[in-house]
Amino acid sequence: MSNPTLESFLEDVTSHQLTVNLDLDAYRDITIKKPNDVHMHYNITTRPGFLMFTGDMGDFIFERTNDMFGFFRSEDEKYYINPGYWGEKVQAGEVSKFDSAIACDSVKQYLTNYLDDLDLSDSEDREKSKQALEAVNDFIGGNQHSGEFDFWTEINSWDADDAGGLELSDFWEASTTAKTYHFIWACYAIVHAIKLYDGFKAQEQSHENG
């Protein structure tokens, strides 16, 4: 399943409404859901330093600033999200998971970098490039749909001598994961909830001044 886009997220929540359960400075509890329907509903609870996202689309705890709405707030009409940086602030919840396509692409990048260092006018280097290419193609063919355990078993069994000298000994540094669907959805959902909340507060202020 590909990660949600802003358009698909907004379609998911087109009928959702905001309910403010608690609103006391940095202490808040809000619910965003369809009336009489819990499908794709979510709750956001904040206290100084923490934001808790719970509900039908996963559970995440973020830790950063005193007012977490300020941390996530998008100042304009756009839905700006920063999954990489925000993921670093998650104290609980699955932010990323193994992705075989990304992992195999990283192996291909190792091959590309290795081939760039060879002199293909040299017969020995041409043979190395042939062996490396065959080894990577065989690896990709057997691992493009494999699970994480099988993938790393093959990486740990990699023999550079059989791959024309192509080393994967430092492959643990390579990218092998992708942000989860639910985490990306939660990022959009938090921004959306804050926009709804800000609208609620503006309306509340208007009534007080009126």
Side-chain angles (χ1 to χ4, degrees), residues 6 9-10 30 32 42 44 51 53 68-69 71-82 86 184-198:
L6 173 58
F9 166 77
L10 291 176
I30 62 177
I32 295 88
Y42 61 98
I44 292 178
L51 182 146
F53 178 96
M68 291 298 289
F69 272 23
F71 176 71
F72 288 106
R73 182 174 280 115
S74 182
E75 298 296 343
D76 53 28
E77 295 301 316
K78 298 179 181 178
Y79 279 66
Y80 172 77
I81 64 172
N82 190 346
W86 293 356
I184 298 297
W185 200 96
C187 289
Y188 282 124
I190 292 169
V191 173
H192 180 66
I194 293 172
K195 289 183 180 297
L196 293 179
Y197 172 82
D198 287 346

Side-chain angles (χ1 to χ4, degrees), residues 88-101:
E88 296 173 1
K89 310 310 173 187
V90 172
Q91 303 301 308
E94 185 182 46
V95 172
S96 302
K97 64 180 179 180
F98 176 78
D99 186 297
S100 60

Side-chain angles (χ1 to χ4, degrees), residues 83-162:
Y85 180 59
W86 293 356
E88 296 173 1
K89 310 310 173 187
V90 172
Q91 303 301 308
E94 185 182 46
V95 172
S96 302
K97 64 180 179 180
F98 176 78
D99 186 297
S100 60
I102 291 177
C104 286
D105 283 345
S106 292
V107 175
K108 294 177 186 177
Q109 188 59 53
Y110 266 68
L111 172 64
T112 298
N113 294 341
Y114 179 69
L115 295 180
D116 285 345
D117 291 334
L118 295 180
D119 179 5
L120 297 184
S121 66
D122 180 82
S123 60
E124 184 176 342
D125 277 5
R126 284 199 302 272
E127 180 60 26
K128 287 181 179 179
S129 69
K130 178 182 177 181
Q131 292 175 353
L133 183 60
E134 289 177 350
V136 169
N137 284 338
D138 288 344
F139 179 90
I140 299 300
N143 287 278
Q144 58 183 340
H145 301 299
S146 67
E148 183 174 10
F149 177 81
D150 291 339
F151 180 90
W152 283 108
T153 296
E154 290 297 317
I155 287 291
N156 292 331
S157 301
W158 183 266
D159 188 340
D161 291 337
D162 292 336

Side-chain angles (χ1 to χ4, degrees), residues 43-61:
N43 311 292
I44 292 178
T45 304
T46 64
R47 54 171 293 177
F50 293 89
L51 182 146
M52 282 124 321
F53 178 96
T54 59
D56 199 33
M57 299 301 288
D59 303 317
F60 299 93
I61 299 176

